[in-house]
Amino acid sequence: VEAAGHMPLGRVLTTKVLSVLGGLDDREAAKDKHVRQRCVGLVCQLLDAMPADCDLRISENTQQVLLQLSRDRVPAVRQSATFGLALAGGSGAADALVTLATRDTVARVRLTALSRLQALWMMQPCAEHILSLASRTMDAVIPVRCQLFATLATCPMPTTSCLAELLCRGLRDANAVVRAECRAMVWAWVDFDGGNSAQGLLSLLQNLKSGDVVSGQCY
């Protein structure tokens, strides 16, 4: 559907809603939290309907507004913004999602941010942020810990010094589902590079086990 001037209606609508959200084009940003939440949800639906390489979907203004919303004081708005960030992509989006996943005080926001990171990294694998994400192995919320390992499974195996600690915590987790997700992550890493990392992982796991760092029942 096209609006006046032969511009697609979805593009016109997205631009207007972004203006309301971000205070662009000399507009005052929406102050009502319900308006912000509904608008960011609408923007995400519109962006999702656009081609991945659409200039509006990946534009600086779009990313600017979504980054601003990822810092909103209302958890529901921050949570909704994660979907738009994953659609927009780019290093700025990944950085914002990692910040939400590791620092947000609300569990459902951390969980959604990790889930959106997983979706983003399935398209653009990246091991850059694993060191930051490793802190969530101690998250008090079981679904967050589960999602952490599911998200990391979409990345290449890291070479950072945190790898041993990451595996140790995951394989020793008190929850069986979390341990299973960690094991699934290990297998995904092996498959990721055609098995080239298998020997390194096996050596690391054997060292952890022989040092009684990881209980034998975890394997």
Side-chain angles (χ1 to χ4, degrees):
V1 179
E2 293 186 347
H6 305 290
M7 183 179 290
L9 181 58
R11 186 183 182 91
V12 174
L13 185 56
T14 303
T15 302
K16 294 294 184 183
V17 178
L18 285 171
S19 296
V20 171
L21 284 169
L24 305 177
D25 301 327
D26 298 321
R27 297 171 182 264
E28 185 175 1
K31 294 183 178 181
D32 187 283
K33 64 181 181 182
H34 299 294
V35 172
R36 295 197 305 278
Q37 184 179 353
R38 294 293 180 87
C39 283
V40 71
L42 177 57
V43 164
C44 291
Q45 292 181 46
L46 290 166
L47 293 177
D48 191 33
M50 295 178 183
D53 59 351
C54 175
D55 60 341
L56 180 60
R57 179 165 168 171
I58 59 178
S59 73
E60 184 176 342
N61 278 351
T62 300
Q63 294 199 13
Q64 174 189 336
V65 172
L66 291 170
L67 289 171
Q68 175 182 319
L69 292 166
S70 74
R71 299 186 290 269
D72 197 279
R73 65 181 182 275
V74 179
V77 175
R78 299 196 301 274
Q79 184 177 13
S80 295
T82 63
F83 292 90
L85 288 168
L87 290 169
S91 59
D95 290 344
L97 288 170
V98 169
T99 297
L100 288 169
T102 56
R103 300 182 187 178
D104 203 280
T105 58
V106 179
R108 68 178 183 274
V109 177
R110 297 196 302 275
L111 179 61
T112 308
L114 283 168
S115 175
R116 293 300 88 203
L117 267 176
Q118 182 181 16
L120 179 61
W121 286 345
M122 287 179 70
M123 304 298 296
Q124 307 168 4
C126 175
E128 179 182 348
H129 300 284
I130 289 182
L131 183 60
S132 300
L133 290 172
S135 64
R136 294 331 304 172
T137 57
M138 302 294 288
D139 198 289
V141 180
I142 290 173
V144 173
R145 301 201 303 275
C146 286
Q147 184 59 56
L148 169 67
F149 291 111
T151 299
L152 294 180
T154 62
C155 303
M157 187 184 78
T159 56
T160 61
S161 58
C162 73
L163 180 57
E165 184 176 9
L166 179 72
L167 292 173
C168 181
R169 289 179 177 175
L171 294 171
R172 294 184 64 194
D173 196 280
N175 183 270
V177 179
V178 177
R179 296 197 300 272
E181 286 288 357
C182 184
R183 289 194 294 270
M185 175 193 71
V186 171
W187 285 113
W189 284 348
V190 171
D191 291 339
F192 196 93
D193 62 358
N196 294 329
S197 62
Q199 187 58 49
L201 270 171
L202 180 61
S203 298
L204 176 58
L205 292 171
Q206 287 176 336
N207 288 338
L208 291 172
K209 185 176 180 180
S210 63
D212 200 28
V213 179
V214 179
S215 171
Q217 66 182 4
C218 294
Y219 294 90

